[in-house]
Amino acid sequence: MEEKPFPAWVWSVEQCLKEYNVKLENGLSSKDVEKRREKYGWNELEKEKDKPLWRLVLEQFDDMLVKLLLVAAFISFVLAYIDAHQTGDTCFHAYVEPLIIVLILVLNAMVGVWQESNAERALEALKEMQCDYAKVLRDGYCVPDFPARELVPGDIVELRVGDKVPADMRIAFLKTLTLRVEQSSLTGESMPVIKSTGPVMVDDCELQAKKCMVFSGTTVVNGSCICIVVNTGMCTEIGNIQTQIHEASLEEHHTPLQKKLDEFGGRLTTCIGLVCLVVWVIKYKYFLSWDVVDGWPTNFQFSFKQCTYYFKIAVALAVAAIPEGLPAVITTCLALGTRKMAQKNAIVRRLPSVETLGCTTVICSDKTGTLTTNQMSVNEFLTLGEKKTSSQVFHVDGTTYNPKDGGIVDWTHHNFDANLQSLAEICAVCNDAGILSNGSLFRATGLPTEAALKVLVEKMGLPDIKERNGICDSQLAVDCSIDRSTVKLGCCQWWSKRSKRVATLEFDRVRKSMSVIVREPTGYNRLLVKGAVESVLERSSHVQLSDGSIVPMDEPCRQLLLFKLHEMSSKGLRCLGFARKDDLGEFSDYYSECHPSHKKLLDPSNYSDIESDLVFVGLVGLRDPPREEVHTAIEDCREAGIKVMVITGDNKSTAESVCREIELFSDNEDLRGKSFTGKEFMALHSSQQFEIMSQPGGLVFSRAEPKHKQEIVRMLKENGEVVAMTGDGVNDAPALKLADIGIAMGITGTEVAKEASDMILADDNFSTIVSAVAEGRSIYNNMKAFIRYMISSNVGEVISIFLTAALGIPECLIPVQLLWVNLVTDGPPATALGFNPADVDIMRKPPRKSNDPLISSWIFFRYMVIGSYVGIATVGVFVVWYTQASFMGIDLASDGHTLVTLSQLRTWGECPTWTNFTAAPFSAGGRTISFSNPCDYFSIGKVKAVTLSLSVLVAIEMFNSLNALSEDNSLVRMPPWRNPWLLVAMSVSFGLHFIILYVPYLADLFGIVQLSLNEWFLIILVAAPVVLIDEALKFIARRQKQRFTKKKTA
């Protein structure tokens, strides 16, 4: 039975020490460590066993089309070997067909193995997040650089600013007033979290609520502490995530297109098998005969040579039916799609994901960094006016840490009154943050809120005109220093030089404020304070007005400020209050640690007395603002029928506020049944959960843990949805892996998230996902176009071979020619169809269902009609050459070939029994074809008829590619020049056909000859009607749709 983990967050420090049998002053003994290592193992993440290479290779052949091709290649090889052995001809020509098929399959397998081997790097990226060394107490001695791998539960570890946490640990005591930990990558919280030592009274609480715990892989950004190691290795939260990633990878399914192609492959296999069997069986009389005596068959005669010959015809039929070029064309189309997406900042890591985007029905988006900028910024600030009952509110534009991004609305330096100057001074000096720049990307060092306040100071400028103009020729900010990364904040530096800091009163959870003592230019000290508005107001007895005068704070003034606070908070703003104090008493002349009053600053319990009787200056509202483009993207999703769900680790009120702001919900919309914490949603009955998931409109899940995200994605998939999941943190990785499309953030995303994803957003922007969905839809339409083109061409080839067998005439196409058509001639037009322009209304249609058929019954009917014409035309021109002297005014007998009757052509196998049959020599491409045996006229002599059949097939397929430009639109409305690449591809395919026709070596290899101009006229005349036939079918389809629409409207 598995041991239940000890809930250290519920118990006091003393109880935890007792549980792990350790003392804070001594740490564990070496003997204890050995025992615990045997029980708990090393503090490292386990490495999952990689799939062996042979298994990866075999998996690439687990596909119906591939298996069919393998069988066809094997049979072709065996028959070629038998044929060569019987004739004594060891020519390479006979093996061309099986070798080409095998080459295609090998290349396909290589690509598959490469993709698979790159798929599990997320687990390796997790290991890089683990800490290498820690400061540990062992046997009563402090070891500063102790290998973190050797930690065991019960170890005593010291953490300081900048340290990466080496294991999941319970905080024993704080060495500083506050301890802040950056754990957004694990929990999704947008701000560093303040930690404490007090136990949490709830056993089954979310990670965010475990304030007395620090987790492996997170980072200390402020303060230091002593901790007790609770969990190591795979038992840590990051270890749980590794387990979840591995489980999610086992649940990975095929993309919608792969499922469709698998279904198609299965049906194609059945059809091909049946047709091949029928073709072989109906020719039984040529290789099996018997006499009937007294009503019973006797004297059976079997011809192995004829049996294998007709078996080869059946194999040729299989080769004709299988679209060998389809995998290559799909890969090319998807690769082209990835290039287009990369230009739009969406980097696709797995090719099939491009198409899956097109049928996305739900986007599960993280809030922080995706819908928002993940950069705190000041949205508005407030100071009092000329009277205590009046206030002035200023709105601030800009959503990044770039001080040049936006400005203060209606701001002029003439309204830079005394109160605003005090606010600017406190924001600049009572602040430890900085800003770094990497090209166009700006990020904060220190607390994000403090960095945002410094940006505000830069936007405000300076009150002194000369100083203002002296900072970078009137440019108030963003000059990079010598290291080209730290941003020089001119205005903040000016205030810092003017008011020099001499002491800092650190933040604590009781006061909810921090302050600094500064030496003013007058030589006296002043206290500058910032903190929670209610807390600062409570300790303020006066207020400063816009003219600089200080007046007592009365109740109406206090209520006005509290009302403004409520107003700003209801907009989702995080508010800070600012105050100052001029009369510092014994600290008025404080200068350093040598001052007599310094002892009071060493005791934090004195800070509340020092920060009393304050003069309130103003308040500032900050937020992690929504991206400007998100609102439009959400609207596009609505029009496209895509549901948006926000899943975040942040608190409920913040998440709801942001969702209202991006208009996922309207301002007055009741969010009951639409907004849940992860814990609330998981507590519901499964039927309620599915009901909520199925309802139209958006949903928001806050305080979501990794297991919640994963479960939500799993439910959606079970509900038949195609899910795109965005994320940037370690906590998002399992859900990213499980989703149909995992989308990681390129800028703020962790390596773990990126490696678990299918797609990476280079700009971390939600609207890029919507653009990628539009591109995915366009790619799917284009893929349907070239699948429609290739399959209809293959149906034509199948019908041509079937007709050949059914009529009993010599085979008009040999397997190597069919392979050439399928791979080379069809390839360029099919690829060019991937460049078809997207429909204008592509994002105004609902997403297709993942179970929608790739080939509808009407499209199948069209395949059969077009395919029938292709087959009849290909076989027809063969028959016409043998039986007709001219066709539609085109002379065919000028080459001198012998004409036969249709009856003779159908019974050509009986030629040796004919009397007085002769075959005259005829000219073909500058050479004369002659026969020692007249019956060779139907084998060696068919070379020109075969060439005509092959050329008609190529020409028809080129014309048929024009039909595939649009499923229903006429060529008049969608002319060929809308896709110039298709015209180029048609030219390339014709060019390749001319090469094999007019290069003697290649002509011999493919068993064809050169054609005259007259014969080319015949080919075009026979091929062109395919366009007219499909135009008629498209017209019928449009009429049917119009009738259906009218009925629906009525």
Side-chain angles (χ1 to χ4, degrees), residues 448-598:
T449 48
E450 292 193 341
L453 293 175
K454 284 204 167 181
V455 172
L456 172 64
V457 174
E458 296 303 316
K459 289 177 179 178
M460 291 173 81
L462 296 174
D464 189 296
I465 296 173
K466 285 184 180 179
E467 292 291 345
R468 186 166 67 243
N469 294 337
I471 296 176
C472 290
D473 299 318
S474 300
Q475 291 190 10
L476 304 179
V478 198
D479 277 339
C480 288
S481 63
I482 296 167
D483 68 1
R484 295 178 179 270
S485 62
T486 305
V487 176
K488 183 181 176 184
L489 303 170
C491 297
C492 291
Q493 286 180 2
W494 185 85
W495 284 110
S496 297
K497 285 176 184 176
R498 184 177 175 277
S499 305
K500 294 183 179 176
R501 279 170 67 161
V502 293
T504 302
L505 282 65
E506 285 186 21
F507 178 93
D508 67 45
R509 295 175 66 85
V510 179
R511 303 173 8 251
K512 296 182 181 176
S513 63
M514 76 155 288
S515 57
V516 292
I517 299 173
V518 297
R519 177 66 57 88
E520 293 289 319
T522 56
Y524 293 101
N525 288 351
R526 178 188 284 182
L527 185 72
L528 306 180
V529 185
K530 78 168 189 292
V533 180
E534 297 96 329
S535 179
V536 175
L537 268 175
E538 194 179 312
R539 284 175 277 139
S540 297
S541 57
H542 293 76
V543 290
Q544 179 173 292
L545 302 180
S546 59
D547 60 2
S549 60
I550 294 169
V551 297
M553 182 189 291
D554 55 17
E555 193 56 30
C557 178
R558 188 180 299 275
Q559 289 304 317
L560 171 69
L561 292 169
L562 287 171
F563 174 75
K564 292 293 182 183
L565 167 66
H566 174 73
E567 204 174 54
M568 289 166 77
S569 298
S570 63
K571 297 176 189 174
L573 300 181
R574 182 166 182 248
C575 298
L576 291 175
F578 297 82
R580 66 185 179 87
K581 183 177 182 179
D582 296 335
D583 183 11
L584 291 183
E586 62 186 299
F587 291 102
S588 295
D589 59 348
Y590 179 87
Y591 52 89
S592 71
E593 294 176 5
C594 303
H595 192 275
S597 302
H598 180 67

Side-chain angles (χ1 to χ4, degrees), residues 34-294:
E34 288 304 318
K35 286 180 183 176
R36 295 180 193 207
R37 176 137 326 113
E38 284 179 22
K39 183 178 180 181
Y40 299 107
W42 297 98
N43 179 32
E44 60 185 1
L45 298 180
E46 290 175 5
K47 183 173 170 57
E48 295 290 336
K49 285 185 179 179
D50 293 331
K51 283 182 187 174
L53 185 63
W54 63 267
R55 190 172 172 185
L56 282 175
V57 172
L58 279 180
E59 283 178 2
Q60 308 314 310
F61 293 91
D62 187 20
D63 178 273
M64 286 307 297
L65 272 178
V66 171
K67 287 173 185 173
L68 196 60
L69 277 171
L70 271 175
V71 171
F74 176 74
I75 294 170
S76 297
F77 187 84
V78 169
L79 293 176
Y81 176 78
I82 293 169
D83 194 43
H85 188 69
Q86 286 175 348
T87 59
D89 182 15
T90 55
C91 184
F92 171 73
H93 296 181
Y95 298 100
V96 169
E97 178 197 331
L99 286 174
I100 290 175
I101 296 174
V102 169
L103 182 63
I104 292 166
L105 296 177
V106 168
L107 288 171
N108 190 50
M110 284 170 65
V111 172
V113 168
W114 176 76
Q115 285 184 332
E116 281 269 342
S117 59
N118 283 323
E120 300 306 318
R121 288 188 184 166
L123 307 182
E124 293 301 316
L126 265 175
K127 291 187 176 182
E128 291 176 15
M129 290 195 66
Q130 287 190 294
C131 175
D132 293 326
Y133 298 97
K135 189 175 181 180
V136 180
L137 194 65
R138 283 270 178 95
D139 294 312
Y141 295 98
C142 183
V143 186
D145 293 317
F146 187 83
R149 180 176 178 269
E150 297 179 18
L151 289 175
V152 294
D155 263 323
I156 305 300
V157 177
E158 181 180 342
L159 292 176
R160 291 164 292 180
V161 175
D163 283 351
K164 194 177 274 188
V165 180
D168 287 3
M169 303 191 287
R170 170 70 160 87
I171 300 168
F173 70 88
L174 302 181
K175 295 185 76 175
T176 53
L177 287 173
T178 53
L179 176 75
R180 281 191 179 91
V181 177
E182 168 56 60
Q183 58 182 40
S184 62
S185 64
L186 192 66
T187 62
E189 291 161 296
S190 56
M191 298 291 296
V193 179
I194 294 174
K195 296 291 184 177
S196 61
T197 57
V200 181
M201 292 301 119
V202 183
D203 186 352
D204 183 26
C205 63
E206 62 266 21
L207 287 180
Q208 294 92 327
K210 297 175 183 177
K211 299 293 184 185
C212 58
M213 295 286 293
V214 286
F215 303 105
S216 179
T218 59
T219 307
V220 178
V221 294
N222 175 247
S224 64
C225 65
I226 301 294
C227 303
I228 309 160
V229 174
V230 173
N231 290 315
T232 57
M234 293 300 291
C235 295
T236 60
E237 290 299 331
I238 206 171
N240 292 339
I241 286 173
Q242 166 150 331
T243 304
Q244 289 165 4
I245 290 174
H246 180 64
E247 287 170 359
S249 68
L250 297 177
E251 291 185 41
E252 283 188 299
H253 301 291
H254 287 318
T255 66
L257 179 68
Q258 287 170 325
K259 289 174 186 172
K260 295 284 177 300
L261 291 174
D262 283 348
E263 288 170 17
F264 172 70
R267 288 174 187 168
L268 188 65
T269 304
T270 307
C271 291
I272 288 171
L274 287 171
V275 173
C276 288
L277 188 64
V278 168
V279 167
W280 192 43
V281 168
I282 62 175
K283 307 300 286 186
Y284 75 90
K285 62 182 179 180
Y286 290 102
F287 56 83
L288 183 65
S289 60
W290 59 85
D291 296 327
V292 178
V293 178
D294 298 330

Side-chain angles (χ1 to χ4, degrees), residues 299-373:
N299 301 326
F300 285 94
Q301 291 182 325
F302 177 75
S303 170
F304 180 75
K305 185 178 180 181
Q306 287 297 313
C307 178
T308 54
Y309 174 78
Y310 286 107
F311 191 64
K312 278 178 76 176
I313 290 177
V315 171
L317 185 67
V319 171
I322 301 167
E324 292 91 349
L326 189 58
V329 174
I330 287 174
T331 303
T332 306
C333 183
L334 293 175
L336 291 169
T338 62
R339 284 190 64 187
K340 286 184 190 175
M341 287 187 179
Q343 290 165 1
K344 297 177 181 178
N345 292 316
I347 300 159
V348 177
R349 296 182 69 246
R350 295 180 177 89
L351 281 183
S353 310
V354 178
E355 177 274 331
T356 310
L357 274 166
C359 54
T360 299
T361 57
V362 178
I363 298 176
C364 295
S365 177
D366 188 27
K367 177 187 75 68
T368 308
T370 311
L371 298 173
T372 65
T373 62

